[in-house]
Amino acid sequence: MEENKLICAHCGVVINDDDYGDVDDQIVCSDCVSRYTTTCERCGALIWESDACGDNYTTLCCCCYENHYCRCAECDALLHNDDAYEYDGEYYCSECYHDIRDHDSIHDYGYKPEPVFYGDSSRYFGLELEIDGAGKDCENADSLLNIANESDEHIYIKSDGSLDEGMELVTHPMSLDYHKSFCWEDIVRKAVYLGYRSHQTNTCGLHIHVNRDSLGDTRDEQEEVVSRILYFVEHHWNELLKFSRRSEYAINRWAARYGYENTPKAIMEKAKKGNYGRYAAVNLCNYNTVEFRLFRGTLKYNTLIAAIELVNRICDAAIYNTDENIAKLSWSEFVEGITEPELIQYLKERNLYINDKVEGTEEM
């Protein structure tokens, strides 16, 4: 009977034998099958050639392609998901991935990986050290990364538009003891060898981040401690300016003060109400950290460690003193209890009320 005849869904001919195919649940004559269809090499399904995915070497149905394959973001090669390399949210073939990683040692300024914490402590310090004068050079960056990241990723490197011919070294958070045992001496020595400078520029700073949760158990407790940090910085501005090695012009441009007030709470209120942004001596814009931006850049190991030790001491003073006591704390009282050898040496070099002044070497 006519109604029992098979009709090709593609060309409309009557199919008089059993030589036909099934494409997308449609009956297709053998001639159309040979001319217009192909086979998915993964699942074996018959598909229209016009719907085929893959490349010139691998034919895939759309379902198999979407579920099991992707394309290299650089060269567009077809990749099985198991063979793809993910980097910055994109997928790459092996060759392109390693080429990008080999030439992408310097990240964009906005790059911010998930932090890795090193050392056994409740207080961690993340450093941003700007170096300039020898280029934003990937080979130089690789040389520094090879030293710092021999065992784990301790630092990464970013570009910074404020630098002329340089880059910014950024550490993952480390405890003070970890910084002191870290290979900073080798890193700064290599940077000098490569031609970089930090102190001897008009562009470079050393920024130190401290995790806020080390300053108190609650947000309110942290705010109180931060207010005392701000008060200490304002109260001892002249000494800290001398410690920082910055000029008045440079510190006003990159790390301006909030201005002295009679109480820690008053300075905190001024900081909150003012439109200071991140270019403040103590930057409060970050939710998880407090950033000390006072310091001029350095490629001298002792100076770098002394700056971290000073920040640590300031945090301790703000935690263990009341508002009234922090107001009474003189600079000489603050420094007389210091025991850290790097900080003692640096204070002597800067003649900051430490006896037996020691002449320091030139900063790089």
Side-chain angles (χ1 to χ4, degrees):
M1 297 176 63
E2 187 71 24
E3 60 268 19
N4 292 327
K5 289 184 178 180
L6 299 176
I7 306 299
C8 176
H10 187 263
C11 68
V13 303
V14 176
I15 301 173
N16 295 317
D17 51 34
D18 293 333
D19 191 10
Y20 61 86
D22 185 322
V23 183
D24 290 339
D25 295 326
Q26 295 178 320
I27 300 298
V28 180
C29 69
S30 58
D31 184 49
C32 287
V33 167
S34 64
R35 296 175 63 185
Y36 303 113
T37 71
T38 186
T39 302
C40 174
E41 294 183 20
R42 187 179 189 280
C43 69
L46 199 62
I47 58 176
W48 298 110
E49 284 187 344
S50 59
D51 292 336
C53 298
D55 57 16
N56 293 332
Y57 307 100
T58 305
T59 302
L60 299 167
C61 67
C62 290
C63 183
C64 286
Y65 173 77
E66 291 173 0
N67 290 325
H68 302 285
Y69 288 81
C70 61
R71 290 190 178 276
C72 174
E74 185 70 16
C75 70
D76 203 41
L78 180 69
L79 303 170
H80 191 279
N81 289 344
D82 292 341
D83 299 326
Y85 291 78
E86 184 177 4
Y87 179 63
D88 278 355
E90 300 285 356
Y91 293 96
Y92 298 91
C93 67
S94 176
E95 183 177 352
C96 290
Y97 170 80
H98 288 100
D99 186 58
I100 288 171
R101 290 308 304 263
D102 288 345
H103 295 86
D104 195 29
S105 302
I106 304 174
H107 299 278
D108 292 337
Y109 181 75
Y111 177 74
K112 190 174 182 180
E114 192 70 23
V116 180
F117 292 81
Y118 293 98
D120 184 14
S121 177
S122 61
R123 186 178 300 162
Y124 293 89
F125 303 88
L127 269 60
E128 299 168 351
L129 174 60
E130 296 167 342
I131 59 177
D132 210 346
K136 192 174 77 172
D137 185 279
C138 287
E139 289 188 7
N140 289 347
D142 285 338
S143 295
L144 297 173
L145 290 170
N146 288 339
I147 296 171
N149 298 342
E150 183 178 6
S151 57
D152 292 292
E153 183 182 280
H154 291 99
I155 74 169
Y156 51 95
I157 296 178
K158 303 195 301 183
S159 59
D160 190 326
S162 67
L163 304 177
D164 297 327
E165 296 182 76
M167 48 197 177
E168 182 179 46
L169 279 58
V170 185
T171 75
H172 284 278
M174 304 178 190
S175 69
L176 175 57
D177 286 342
Y178 201 96
H179 273 291
K180 295 175 74 169
S181 64
F182 184 54
C183 53
W184 274 120
E185 288 185 275
D186 295 331
I187 292 170
V188 296
R189 186 184 302 115
K190 185 66 172 182
V192 172
Y193 173 79
L194 293 170
Y196 289 100
R197 295 295 181 265
S198 193
H199 173 87
Q200 294 173 341
T201 70
N202 295 317
T203 55
C204 294
L206 168 64
H207 308 152
I208 302 175
H209 289 257
V210 181
N211 55 312
R212 284 181 183 257
D213 58 13
S214 70
L215 305 178
D217 294 331
T218 67
R219 199 69 181 179
D220 288 342
E221 290 178 2
Q222 294 165 22
E223 290 276 293
E224 287 187 12
V225 172
V226 172
S227 73
R228 290 194 283 271
I229 290 173
L230 299 184
Y231 185 90
F232 182 93
V233 170
E234 294 295 338
H235 192 59
H236 302 291
W237 182 258
N238 291 334
E239 290 85 358
L240 291 173
L241 178 60
K242 190 172 183 180
F243 190 106
S244 76
R245 296 167 289 108
R246 285 188 185 270
S247 66
E248 286 275 6
Y249 170 80
I251 207 161
N252 288 332
R253 181 180 182 186
W254 303 111
R257 63 189 299 183
Y258 292 110
Y260 180 75
E261 297 290 340
N262 290 327
T263 66
K265 289 183 175 61
I267 295 179
M268 176 62 90
E269 286 301 314
K270 177 186 281 190
K272 287 181 176 180
K273 292 178 180 178
N275 186 25
Y276 295 95
R278 64 189 181 93
Y279 294 113
V282 182
N283 170 27
L284 306 180
C285 292
N286 300 299
Y287 185 80
N288 293 315
T289 67
V290 175
E291 180 188 18
F292 291 75
R293 296 178 55 90
L294 289 158
F295 310 108
R296 189 171 185 166
T298 183
L299 289 175
K300 185 179 176 185
Y301 170 77
N302 185 83
T303 303
L304 185 147
I305 297 300
I308 307 173
E309 291 174 339
L310 177 72
V311 169
N312 187 56
R313 280 278 178 173
I314 293 174
C315 291
D316 281 344
I319 289 172
Y320 298 117
N321 282 282
T322 63
D323 286 6
E324 293 76 15
N325 289 339
I326 203 80
K328 297 176 182 177
L329 182 65
S330 68
W331 180 259
S332 59
E333 290 171 331
F334 172 72
V335 300
E336 70 180 6
I338 290 174
T339 58
E340 297 89 340
E342 296 85 3
L343 184 52
I344 289 173
Q345 179 182 338
Y346 186 78
L347 290 169
K348 288 180 177 179
E349 290 174 356
R350 306 304 297 178
N351 198 24
L352 282 165
Y353 305 172
I354 294 288
N355 294 328
D356 302 321
K357 177 181 176 182
V358 175
E359 296 297 329
T361 58
E362 184 177 15
E363 296 278 355
M364 302 303 288

